[in-house]
Amino acid sequence: MIKTPFAYKMSISVGMLTATFILFCLNLAMGSVYIPVKETFAIFINGHSDNVIWENILLRTRLPQAVTSAMAGMGLGIAGLMMQTLFRNPLAGPSVLGISSGASLGVAVLVMATGGIFHISLSNMGIWGELSIISASMLGALLVLMVILGISQKIGGTLSVLIMGVMFGYLANSLVGILKFFSREADVHNYVIWGLGSFSRLSMQKSFFFAGAVFVTSFLAFLLSKQLNLISIGDRYAMNLGVKVKHARFLIILVSGMLTAIVTAFCGPIVFIGLAVPHIVKYLIRTSDHLYLISYTAITGMAVALLCNLIARLPGLDSNLPINSVTAFIGAPVVISVILHRRKHKSDAE
Amino acid sequence: MQNKSYDIPENNLLSTHPLVVLENVSIGYGNAKIVARKLFATIECGRVVCLLGSNGTGKSTLIRTLCGFQHALEGQIVLNDKPLSAYSPQKLSKELSVVLTDKVDIANATVEEFVAYGRSPYTNFLGQLTDDDKTIIETAMVNCRIIHKRNEYIANLSDGEKQKAVIAKSIAQNTPLIILDEPTAFLDLPARVEIMQLLRMLAVKANKAILMSTHDMDLALQMADKLWILHKNGPITEGCPEDLLLSGSFNTLFGESNITFDIKTGLFKVFHEYKYVLPVKGHGFHYTLLRRAFARNGINLVQAGEEKALLLEINPQNPDVYSFYADNILLQSTNSIEKLLGIVIQKLSTTHSTAKHQENSSYDHLF
């Protein structure tokens, strides 16, 4: 096996950054309404345009959507990477701890309770409806996160935490199912729409707030990279190298759980990005050092989410495809091919 | 700060101040399950100590307790003049390093990356390596003879190479004490010998105290400065291998199993149940081999006396070394022990079938 030289890593990072930048620009330039590229640049450089409609489309729709998708991709990718390392399981992802299911439960309770009891439809409430959905989802996600953290402090094994998380996911989903059964059709419809996930719900201000929250939490993940490295060797080796394993596990679950909760609250449950992106990164740069892995996952996560968002709004389509269909459509083949490639490499070496 | 190379003159060879002291230690899980009690033992710097004991005596529990992964139930373990329980994880990581039986299956780590993790007690919160760190990592890989694989991925190494990488990691950790849990299990003989020689070199040249548990009796006897023999429920018998040989401590090692210790060869011997006795004339290497093969088949060879009904003769000068006589008539002359064995067994079973049957009926189920 050839070593991964520094130059190779650099070229990958330059390539990834360029790809992300180009995808970001394409997200701005392409859409159901045609805006000339020259005009797009003009609007961003001058801050305004003669064509108010174009200006509105760019600044109020496409820019927040691009920012949201990029940051969601980054957050989910990092959360997935941390989960895969902590649980030493390539199938782990942000959804594995039942945190997004918790968010779903929060939203389901809110949507169906307001509809069924107060006969209010949240979709008619504008900004307040939107905010309450975000809060409910955040609350549900954090509630599950707290329970998981409590369990992880009580019981020793990582595997038991993983199983508990998956079980909580099932529990939350079954509660959602029961709620749906007793709810009005309109409310179920509202919930289903939320559950499809979307990068296009946030306004400019909210998308920047979202970006800030994801960025700060991701930075915390970056600070945990040394602990992640040592835990990936094995719990007892980590302990012998001076890591307080229980403490570190708590922080890793907390940070990755927060990332998942934030993204799910603002965009709804987004599948596959958190699972697929770490695999792409580990294939591109073969290292165990999380300082690199987290940085590359952040950039690659952005690129993949932007690509998915772009495909969801391919020119010629009147409306957006559901983002989760696109992420799965892109993610599954990527994971499959990465694993096939890795098998081939391994048998080459042997 | 750290010694960059292990080319330190052979110092402290006679150091007697112990680095590790076990004082009346009991090990186990909670009060309900004490595995062994009343353990007293010491480890000195610059010595290789091998921990022996049959399965279930608590070798692994003792190793885990010494590593600080679990607490001693009673008594005290003193490391470097301080109780083990008084060390914080960070402090302890600079005092003792471990090589565990846990499978190291870290994805995408090269040998160098992996060995570098041994430096993490000394690096900053992001784990960045200084030039000093890099020199130490390099030296550790050189000493463990794994430097040629530095850019190889851990997952692609053989078991022996993997073990060397893990040992290099614990050397990079630069601790006075290294504890290894069965480092030679799953390795073939050359790899086992290489690992043992490496550990000896470290003990002598870098003045490390090394404790390893092992089932490898032959190697432990030849390579260890000191043995800890852990008996079921305690205590530990400690001493240099030769002293323990003389005092007969090995005979109790495996309790009541069919293993005896041969004080002349210094080797463990499987105890055979004998069905027949056969006189033999001769000695030397041919005799030793013959004796072993016949013992395996329930035939005890004894030096020939008056009885001459059946007789084996060893004559290394003859083209056919082994000759088998019945009533002074040559039945077979051969060079092959296998062939000889066949004929002897056939003869014995016909002549002794009636006479020996009742005498040895209790052994019949063995055949």
Side-chain angles (χ1 to χ4, degrees):
Chain A
M1 193 51 70
I2 321 148
K3 109 183 218 185
T4 310
F6 186 67
Y8 175 74
K9 276 187 191 156
M10 281 313 287
S11 64
I12 292 278
S13 63
V14 169
M16 265 304 168
L17 279 171
T18 317
T20 308
F21 181 74
I22 292 171
L23 283 165
F24 192 85
C25 293
L26 284 175
N27 263 275
L28 296 177
M30 288 166 74
S32 48
V33 176
Y34 172 76
I35 303 172
V37 178
K38 221 172 106 188
E39 199 63 24
T40 312
F41 276 110
I43 290 172
F44 277 101
I45 289 161
N46 305 326
H48 61 87
S49 164
D50 301 333
N51 190 329
V52 184
I53 297 174
W54 286 357
E55 192 186 314
N56 275 344
I57 288 177
L58 272 179
L59 294 181
R60 300 221 176 144
T61 307
R62 290 191 189 169
L63 181 62
Q65 201 176 341
V67 169
T68 308
S69 33
M71 294 315 277
M74 172 171 159
L76 289 174
I78 292 176
L81 174 69
M82 292 172 91
M83 291 289 158
Q84 286 175 9
T85 299
L86 181 68
F87 295 120
R88 290 189 199 99
N89 189 331
L91 276 180
S95 54
V96 82
L97 284 183
I99 290 165
S100 42
S101 304
S104 306
L105 181 61
V107 172
V109 168
L110 177 80
V111 169
M112 292 163 200
T114 50
I117 301 168
F118 306 109
H119 302 287
I120 310 162
S121 185
L122 284 169
S123 47
N124 299 334
M125 285 177 63
I127 180 90
W128 290 108
E130 217 175 291
L131 274 181
S132 52
I133 284 184
I134 289 176
S135 330
S137 141
M138 196 75 191
L139 214 67
L142 289 183
L143 200 75
V144 173
L145 181 58
M146 290 301 144
V147 175
I148 297 284
L149 285 173
I151 289 171
S152 81
Q153 289 304 92
K154 275 260 160 57
I155 54 177
T158 310
L159 190 63
S160 348
V161 177
L162 180 64
I163 294 169
M164 294 285 177
V166 173
M167 289 306 123
F168 271 107
Y170 282 123
L171 262 181
N173 284 341
S174 86
L175 283 176
V176 169
I178 293 169
L179 276 174
K180 271 190 197 164
F181 183 77
F182 289 110
S183 298
R184 299 184 311 170
E185 208 171 308
D187 299 326
V188 173
H189 180 74
N190 276 344
Y191 170 77
V192 168
I193 293 289
W194 176 85
L196 286 177
S198 168
F199 293 141
S200 57
R201 289 190 198 126
L202 301 185
S203 67
M204 195 66 223
Q205 286 86 351
K206 261 188 270 169
S207 77
F208 280 125
F209 175 77
F210 170 68
V214 171
F215 191 82
V216 169
T217 322
S218 301
F219 185 72
L220 295 179
F222 196 71
L223 298 183
L224 287 173
S225 57
K226 184 174 172 180
Q227 270 102 318
L228 282 163
N229 284 343
L230 298 181
I231 278 183
S232 68
I233 309 177
D235 284 355
R236 292 201 292 177
Y237 277 119
M239 221 179 283
N240 178 248
L241 288 164
V243 177
K244 291 177 187 149
V245 172
K246 250 185 169 178
H247 186 73
R249 193 191 297 149
F250 182 89
L251 289 177
I252 292 167
I253 295 177
L254 179 69
V255 169
S256 58
M258 280 301 292
L259 279 171
T260 315
I262 293 168
V263 175
T264 313
F266 283 84
C267 309
I270 305 288
V271 300
F272 245 105
I273 289 187
L275 174 63
V277 169
H279 283 285
I280 301 175
V281 170
K282 284 174 200 164
Y283 177 70
L284 285 178
I285 54 154
R286 289 193 66 184
T287 178
S288 66
D289 189 348
H290 282 73
L291 216 55
Y292 287 104
L293 287 176
I294 291 179
S295 322
Y296 282 79
T297 302
I299 306 169
T300 313
M302 285 193 206
V304 168
L306 284 167
L307 179 69
C308 290
N309 193 44
L310 199 65
I311 293 172
R313 309 183 316 199
L314 271 184
L317 292 172
D318 285 341
S319 58
N320 293 356
L321 293 171
I323 192 71
N324 274 332
S325 313
V326 182
T327 54
F329 196 75
I330 300 275
V334 163
V335 173
I336 291 170
S337 67
V338 162
I339 285 171
L340 287 181
H341 263 263
R342 209 167 41 193
R343 287 236 166 266
K344 220 174 90 194
H345 275 297
K346 247 192 182 163
S347 49
D348 281 353
E350 282 159 7
Chain B
M1 182 179 68
Q2 271 86 37
N3 46 335
K4 285 186 192 171
S5 134
Y6 293 122
D7 298 332
I8 305 164
E10 305 191 3
N11 55 352
N12 264 344
L13 263 183
L14 295 170
S15 142
T16 46
H17 182 66
L19 182 70
V20 180
V21 184
L22 271 67
E23 289 170 4
N24 198 15
V25 171
S26 296
I27 53 171
Y29 310 88
N31 284 324
K33 208 186 167 212
I34 292 182
V35 177
R37 60 179 85 230
K38 297 210 167 71
L39 307 180
F40 293 88
T42 58
I43 308 173
E44 289 79 20
C45 285
R47 306 280 172 88
V48 175
V49 179
C50 282
L51 170 60
L52 303 174
S54 54
N55 287 332
T57 47
K59 282 198 308 282
S60 296
T61 312
L62 180 58
I63 291 277
R64 279 199 293 274
T65 311
L66 285 168
C67 292
F69 296 148
Q70 62 188 71
H71 296 292
L73 299 180
E74 288 163 18
Q76 185 166 253
I77 299 169
V78 178
L79 171 60
N80 221 347
D81 298 326
K82 223 171 103 179
L84 189 65
S85 51
Y87 284 94
S88 68
Q90 282 91 340
K91 284 263 163 60
L92 194 60
S93 66
K94 296 177 184 179
E95 294 293 334
L96 82 88
S97 54
V98 297
V99 174
L100 304 168
T101 46
D102 302 16
K103 207 171 152 213
V104 176
D105 207 5
I106 175 170
N108 290 336
T110 60
V111 170
E112 188 165 7
E113 253 175 58
F114 179 73
V115 175
Y117 290 142
R119 293 305 297 163
S120 46
Y122 306 95
T123 55
N124 65 9
F125 70 102
L126 282 180
Q128 283 163 319
L129 301 169
T130 63
D131 286 344
D132 276 355
D133 290 325
K134 284 177 188 155
T135 320
I136 291 167
I137 292 160
E138 184 118 5
T139 317
M141 287 190 292
V142 170
N143 280 323
C144 292
R145 296 194 203 99
I146 195 71
I147 188 85
H148 59 293
K149 299 268 183 179
R150 64 192 298 170
N151 295 316
E152 192 80 45
Y153 291 99
I154 292 276
N156 296 341
L157 298 183
S158 70
D159 285 342
E161 290 164 343
K162 234 179 239 180
Q163 199 62 274
K164 284 197 260 178
V166 182
I167 294 174
K169 179 224 61 130
S170 63
I171 293 168
Q173 207 174 329
N174 200 25
T175 56
L177 173 64
I178 301 177
I179 297 179
L180 307 96
D181 194 3
E182 302 201 16
T184 55
F186 312 114
L187 302 184
D188 60 9
L189 188 62
R192 289 207 302 256
V193 172
E194 194 180 359
I195 296 282
M196 291 296 270
Q197 280 173 335
L198 169 65
L199 294 175
R200 274 218 68 81
M201 189 270 288
L202 283 170
V204 174
K205 285 202 173 165
N207 201 33
K208 306 260 182 208
I210 291 173
L211 171 69
M212 57 175 282
S213 67
T214 183
H215 284 293
D216 227 328
M217 215 64 70
D218 304 0
L219 278 180
L221 284 170
Q222 292 182 58
M223 303 290 250
D225 296 300
K226 189 192 216 176
L227 299 178
W228 285 7
I229 299 180
L230 180 59
H231 300 280
K232 209 167 174 67
N233 301 322
I236 290 175
T237 312
E238 65 168 340
C240 105
E242 291 71 20
D243 285 343
L244 293 180
L245 282 178
L246 288 173
S247 66
S249 303
F250 285 97
N251 289 324
T252 53
L253 185 55
F254 291 115
E256 284 157 19
S257 53
N258 284 334
I259 302 170
T260 52
F261 190 75
D262 189 341
I263 193 94
K264 280 172 283 188
T265 54
L267 292 174
F268 282 85
K269 216 163 71 172
V270 178
F271 179 74
H272 294 284
E273 308 266 15
Y274 292 117
K275 190 176 175 188
Y276 303 113
V277 175
L278 187 66
V280 63
K281 248 188 197 165
H283 46 81
F285 185 55
H286 286 98
Y287 170 72
T288 313
L289 291 181
L290 198 65
R291 193 179 158 76
R292 205 161 74 180
F294 276 62
R296 203 159 54 223
N297 288 280
I299 304 165
N300 190 15
L301 295 187
V302 293
Q303 285 299 328
E306 294 305 306
E307 184 199 4
K308 290 277 170 67
L310 293 172
L311 177 72
L312 264 177
E313 202 176 55
I314 300 167
N315 193 344
Q317 268 81 49
N318 284 0
D320 288 330
V321 177
Y322 306 108
S323 312
F324 181 41
Y325 299 92
D327 300 320
N328 284 327
I329 302 159
L330 180 65
L331 288 185
Q332 180 74 34
S333 191
T334 176
N335 244 337
S336 153
I337 291 183
E338 189 180 358
K339 207 165 162 192
L340 183 68
L341 200 55
I343 289 152
V344 169
I345 288 174
Q346 199 187 0
K347 182 76 189 162
L348 282 171
S349 56
T350 49
T351 48
H352 288 248
S353 56
T354 43
K356 289 279 173 178
H357 186 256
Q358 273 137 357
E359 257 178 63
N360 290 298
S361 55
S362 59
Y363 297 145
D364 277 1
H365 67 276
L366 291 171
F367 293 90

